[in-house]
């Protein structure tokens, strides 16, 4: 019994030890398995978090586009007109935010303008990245970082900045919060190439080549300053102007008032609240009856067609009848007028007879030659089709000869006048730099060089002796000339003598033409008891003041000779 007892005890002890060892190993295996699962889950979450951090979009918008840059825009002398600045924008990952209420409360201490309910909804849920506030300052970014809210972060994106503010709004246009062009040359650039570069990510973190425009900031500032003054001086509802180099077609200045600040572009709410007028570009989008400035067109067409000569005379003693209507002159001379007198006295009667000598069909064909029946070719997307009838009746042709019954943009007229004084070569206007050779490659001969000289003579004569004399006093010495136009506006279906559009289309220096300009003053009032409201008193004076300021900048020396340069006088009038 003792032997048996002594033999089984070690065997039982050894079995118990083995059982405990197996249990321990099993527990270790379970612990290891649990640890593997736990760390695997943690690793998966880290991988998921890492994937979200490197997501390529925010609210469906690619990061490459968000962080893309735009090229700087320079004036013709290399001065910056539009540049990109780098700004922080705040976004959130709602699924990573631990305490939404705490996040809302803390964030509104730094960004009190954020609506509390909107922000709470924004930060709630399991969404990926959502925008909270874009285009912040570095100081705001630092304060938000100090809040220590998990699930918030920043991305650096580009914001467009326009150093000149309002002055160039109708040239440069604006961009939206995504730095995409919405108007002006900014939109044109996007339509051409910039948007493609951004979508490909090629503009991200890269400096794009600057874009040089034809604008001269010195000339632009002078024009803008005088148009702003005109709004106040003449109590006008609007004013606009543009200047073109007639040898290259380059636009040196273009402004339209009222305007807006592209650094704070108008929202849809602003547009609905009556601020839409600020976005309206009167030079390219405005379609107007331009009044007697159109007489220059009629004279140029008739002279070029050989229908009239500079030595011809026209009976302006009586009005021209069409049925029960009679068209007369504003300040009639009631006598026979020479062709130059018809121009300088702005005779409607004489101008109608000049058009009739040409013939209404030939007159209409000349309007097509000037491309008045199609949109003016230009880079700005803001434009409209002109309103020119396909066929002209006798009465419509008569009124059209002095600028009523058809409507074109001021850019159309600027381009035509530039062609009239440029030896008859009409150029395509542009906002980009261009050489004379490049401009001439697309030039269109609209009148002969001889008729061009005749038109220059008439424009200068009008400045010395006609309705442009007030302009000439302001621009004394710079040999400017042009034609006024005071067009009655249509109110309730009828022309109103109380509401007018004053226009002056000009060029300088006319002894060696280089620049053409058009100025509009909408619904001007008398400056004082001694002044009038026709174009010579306002648009003409504005033109003269601009010429006086910019001519020295453009290298034009004054010549105070009161007479017309001998070379301008037509041979038959010498």
């Amino acid at each position: 019994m003792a032997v048996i007892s002594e033999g089984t005890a070690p065997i039982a002890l050894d079995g118990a030890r083995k059982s405990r060892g197996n249990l321990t190993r099993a527990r270790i295996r379970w612990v290891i398995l649990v640890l593997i699962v736990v760390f695997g889950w943690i690793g998966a979450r880290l991988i998921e978090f890492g994937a979200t951090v490197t997501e390529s979009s925010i609210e469906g918008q690619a990061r490459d586009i968000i962080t893309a840059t735009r090229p700087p825009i320079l004036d013709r002398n290399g001065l910056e007109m539009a540049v990109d600045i780098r700004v922080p924008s705040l976004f959130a990952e709602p699924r990573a935010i631990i305490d939404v209420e705490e996040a809302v409360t803390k964030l509104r201490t730094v960004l009190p303008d954020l609506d509390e309910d909107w922000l709470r909804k924004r930060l709630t849920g399991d969404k990926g990245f959502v925008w909270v506030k874009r285009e912040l300052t570095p100081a705001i970014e630092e304060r938000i970082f100090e809040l220590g809210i998990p699930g918030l972060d920043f991305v650096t994106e580009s914001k467009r900045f326009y150093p000149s503010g309002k002055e160039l709004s109708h040239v440069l246009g604006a961009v939206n919060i995504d730095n995409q062009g919405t108007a002006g040359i900014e939109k044109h650039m996007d339509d051409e190439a910039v948007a493609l570069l951004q979508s490909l990510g090629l503009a991200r973190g890269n400096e794009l080549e600057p874009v040089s425009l034809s604008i001269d900031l010195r000339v632009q500032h002078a024009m803008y300053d005088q148009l702003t003054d005109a709004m106040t001086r003449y109590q006008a509802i609007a004013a606009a102007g543009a200047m073109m180099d007639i040898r290259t077609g380059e636009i040196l200045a273009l402004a339209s008032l009222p305007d807006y600040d592209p650094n704070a572009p108008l929202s849809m709410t602003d547009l609905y609240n009556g601020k839409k007028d600020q976005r309206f570009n009167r030079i390219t989008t405005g379609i107007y009856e331009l009044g007697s400035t159109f007489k220059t067109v009629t004279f140029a067409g008739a002279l070029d067609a050989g229908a009239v000569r500079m030595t011809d005379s026209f009976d302006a003693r009586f009005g021209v009848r069409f049925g029960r209507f009679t068209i007369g002159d504003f300040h009639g001379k009631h006598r026979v007028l020479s062709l130059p007198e018809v121009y300088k006295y702005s005779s409607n009667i004489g101008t109608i007879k000049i058009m009739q000598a040409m013939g209404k069909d030939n007159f209409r064909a000349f309007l097509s030659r000037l491309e008045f029946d199609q949109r003016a070719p230009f880079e700005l997307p803001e434009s409209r089709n002109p309103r020119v009838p396909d066929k002209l009746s006798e009465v419509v042709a008569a009124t059209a000869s002095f600028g009523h019954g058809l409507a074109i943009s001021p850019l159309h007229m600027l381009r035509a006048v530039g062609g009239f004084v440029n030896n008859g070569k009409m150029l395509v206007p542009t906002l980009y730099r261009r050489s004379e050779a490049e401009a001439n490659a697309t030039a269109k001969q609209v009148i002969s060089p001889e008729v061009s000289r005749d038109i220059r003579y008439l424009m200068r004569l009008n400045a010395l002796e006609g309705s442009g004399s007030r302009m000439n006093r302001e621009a004394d010495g710079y040999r400017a000339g042009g034609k006024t136009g005071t067009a009655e506006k249509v109110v309730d279906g009828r022309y109103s003598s109380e509401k007018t559009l004053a226009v002056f289309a000009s060029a300088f220096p006319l002894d060696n033409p280089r620049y053409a300009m058009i100025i509009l003053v909408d619904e001007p009032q008398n400056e004082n008891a001694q002044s009038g409201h026709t174009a010579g008193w306002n648009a003409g004076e504005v033109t003269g003041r601009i010429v006086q300021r910019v001519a020295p900048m453009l290298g034009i020396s004054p010549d105070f000779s009161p007479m017309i340069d001998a070379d301008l006088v037509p041979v038959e009038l010498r």
Side-chain angles (χ1 to χ4, degrees), residues 251-292:
I251 299 296
L252 271 64
L254 187 155
S256 178
L257 302 174
D259 53 11
Y260 63 98
D261 186 352
N263 293 309
L266 299 176
S267 65
M268 291 305 296
T269 303
D270 291 329
L271 297 178
Y272 285 128
N273 288 338
K275 294 184 178 180
K276 188 175 181 179
D277 193 50
Q278 297 176 15
R279 294 292 294 265
F280 186 69
N281 186 338
R282 285 167 168 76
I283 296 298
T284 61
T285 311
I287 302 297
Y288 305 104
E289 296 184 354
L290 293 178
S292 291

Side-chain angles (χ1 to χ4, degrees), residues 325-347:
F325 298 102
T326 300
I327 299 175
D329 288 340
F330 182 59
H331 288 303
K333 298 299 178 181
H334 307 293
R335 62 177 175 84
V336 174
L337 301 175
S338 67
L339 186 144
E341 287 179 323
V342 171
Y343 192 83
K344 76 176 184 178
Y345 295 137
S346 199
S347 169

Side-chain angles (χ1 to χ4, degrees), residues 208-221:
L208 298 176
E209 279 291 317
V211 175
S212 293
L213 298 188
S214 59
I215 294 293
D216 187 321
L217 272 178
R218 303 169 303 169
V219 178
Q220 178 74 23
H221 178 72

Side-chain angles (χ1 to χ4, degrees), residues 47-67:
I47 292 172
E48 182 184 353
F49 180 73
T52 60
V53 169
T54 57
E55 278 186 17
S56 61
S57 65
I58 299 178
E59 294 191 12
Q61 188 175 31
R63 283 193 176 219
D64 281 346
I65 294 179
I66 293 171
T67 60

Side-chain angles (χ1 to χ4, degrees), residues 7-82:
T8 56
I11 293 172
L13 184 60
D14 185 57
R17 287 175 178 170
K18 287 182 177 180
S19 178
R20 286 196 299 273
N22 290 337
L23 181 59
T24 301
R25 284 192 292 274
R27 287 174 176 170
I28 292 172
R29 283 195 295 270
W30 277 107
V31 170
I32 292 172
L33 181 60
V34 170
L35 289 174
I36 290 173
V37 171
V38 170
F39 281 108
W41 179 81
I42 293 172
R45 288 292 293 162
L46 287 173
I47 292 172
E48 182 184 353
F49 180 73
T52 60
V53 169
T54 57
E55 278 186 17
S56 61
S57 65
I58 299 178
E59 294 191 12
Q61 188 175 31
R63 283 193 176 219
D64 281 346
I65 294 179
I66 293 171
T67 60
T69 58
R70 299 180 67 82
I73 301 178
L74 311 178
D75 88 327
R76 65 188 303 109
N77 299 311
L79 298 176
E80 290 181 335
M81 299 190 295

Side-chain angles (χ1 to χ4, degrees), residues 358-571:
M358 182 183 183
K360 64 182 180 65
D361 293 335
N362 289 333
F363 177 61
R364 177 62 183 83
F366 186 63
L367 301 184
S368 290
R369 192 191 310 173
L370 297 175
E371 300 179 10
F372 279 2
D373 48 9
Q374 55 188 281
R375 290 192 186 197
F378 199 46
E379 291 88 6
L380 293 184
E382 296 79 24
S383 66
R384 287 169 59 198
N385 289 321
R387 294 196 304 269
V388 178
D390 291 333
K391 291 186 177 181
L392 303 179
S393 65
E394 291 292 344
V395 65
V396 171
T399 60
S401 71
F402 55 87
H404 284 77
L406 77 177
I408 61 174
S409 74
L411 184 62
H412 280 97
M413 183 60 73
L414 177 66
R415 185 187 181 204
V417 170
F420 293 159
V421 300
N422 185 35
N423 287 318
K425 290 188 294 186
M426 187 174 73
L427 306 181
V428 175
T430 182
L431 279 171
Y432 292 107
R433 298 296 305 276
R434 187 165 62 190
S435 67
E436 288 189 36
E438 291 169 331
N440 286 330
T442 58
K444 184 176 184 179
Q445 194 75 38
V446 291
I447 59 175
S448 69
E450 293 75 23
V451 172
S452 173
R453 183 203 60 199
D454 293 341
I455 294 298
R456 287 158 52 200
Y457 166 79
L458 292 172
M459 291 172 68
R460 183 62 180 146
L461 177 69
N462 190 53
L464 292 173
E465 302 176 10
S467 61
S469 59
R470 299 188 69 84
M471 177 279 300
N472 188 60
R473 281 197 287 272
E474 297 286 350
D476 190 25
Y478 294 107
R479 292 92 68 207
K483 187 73 187 75
T484 53
T486 307
E488 295 180 349
K489 299 173 70 172
V490 177
V491 179
D492 297 328
R494 296 190 173 192
Y495 286 108
S496 169
S497 60
E498 300 299 317
K499 294 187 176 183
T500 60
L501 176 71
V503 189
F504 198 92
S506 63
F508 69 99
L510 282 173
D511 55 340
N512 184 24
R514 189 59 195 262
Y515 303 101
M517 179 163 50
I518 189 162
I519 294 295
L520 284 73
V521 181
D522 198 352
E523 296 187 19
Q525 305 302 311
N526 292 3
E527 182 181 1
N528 52 54
Q530 288 73 43
S531 65
H533 70 277
T534 53
W537 290 90
N538 39 72
E541 289 188 350
V542 173
T543 298
R545 288 192 285 268
I546 293 173
V547 171
Q548 184 71 30
R549 285 182 61 174
V550 306
M553 302 175 189
L554 298 172
I556 299 173
S557 300
D559 178 356
F560 296 98
S561 171
M563 304 301 293
I564 296 179
D565 188 270
D567 292 336
L568 274 183
V569 180
V571 174

